[in-house]
Amino acid sequence: MSYDLIFVPRGDDQSWEDALKAAAEADTAERPRAEAWDGIVAAARQVLGEVSVFEGADNYELTHEPTGVQVSYYADEVSVTVPYWYRGGDAGDVVTAVYQLGAAVEAVTGLSGYDPQVELPLAEAVERPELAVAAFDEVAESFARRGISSPSNG
């Protein structure tokens, strides 16, 4: 279970629902753009520190082991995920980091970012990080009630 940001092509007059549906239905065999991937990796290293990089036949991925942040890049879609290991101030820190990384993804790919947990475009979600922190806190409480441990509620 992870907190996700999604990046897809989206027209100015297109709803997020329609953009996400179109992305899910898209059948593209194109490889993601290498120069955009290089920009994502550089941004991830600037925001997070050293990351592990994987280059597949039709996608790129990176992982930042200390935080669990992962980025997956396909031809017309990027996702940034982070496990629900955080709460409170730690959640605030990781939300800030993934939102910074998300802004870089938008800049280098031209894709539009969306935060489905708070149901806002990334540009608006960045202005209200407390909503994302609340989502992390809610999941941490749920884990604790069910006896599920994570690095933050150990």
Side-chain angles (χ1 to χ4, degrees):
M1 186 173 196
S2 61
Y3 193 98
D4 307 313
L5 302 178
I6 301 168
F7 302 82
V8 297
R10 179 173 172 256
D12 290 339
D13 61 344
Q14 189 177 32
S15 72
W16 274 104
E17 182 179 336
D18 289 344
L20 294 171
K21 182 178 179 185
E25 293 172 352
D27 184 26
T28 180
E30 293 179 37
R31 182 160 173 77
R33 294 181 301 123
E35 66 278 1
W37 177 243
D38 291 344
I40 292 170
V41 171
R45 288 184 170 142
Q46 184 175 15
V47 171
L48 301 169
E50 192 51 43
V51 295
S52 302
V53 177
F54 169 79
E55 297 185 9
D58 61 354
N59 72 307
Y60 297 112
E61 294 183 8
L62 68 79
T63 302
H64 181 248
E65 293 294 333
T67 59
V69 172
Q70 294 182 313
V71 178
S72 299
Y73 179 27
Y74 292 85
D76 283 328
E77 186 172 343
V78 176
S79 65
V80 176
T81 64
V82 60
Y84 278 109
W85 292 345
Y86 305 94
R87 62 180 169 195
D90 291 338
D93 292 344
V94 80
V95 165
T96 297
V98 297
Y99 281 176
Q100 287 174 346
L101 183 54
V105 168
E106 285 184 322
V108 301
T109 65
L111 299 173
S112 297
Y114 185 71
D115 183 333
Q117 288 78 202
V118 299
E119 300 179 340
L120 290 172
L122 182 62
E124 293 177 34
V126 166
E127 299 297 320
R128 303 193 56 203
E130 70 279 1
L131 297 175
V133 171
F136 274 90
D137 288 345
E138 183 178 312
V139 172
E141 289 172 19
S142 172
F143 283 173
R145 281 192 307 273
R146 293 180 290 156
I148 299 171
S149 66
S150 74
S152 69
N153 70 8

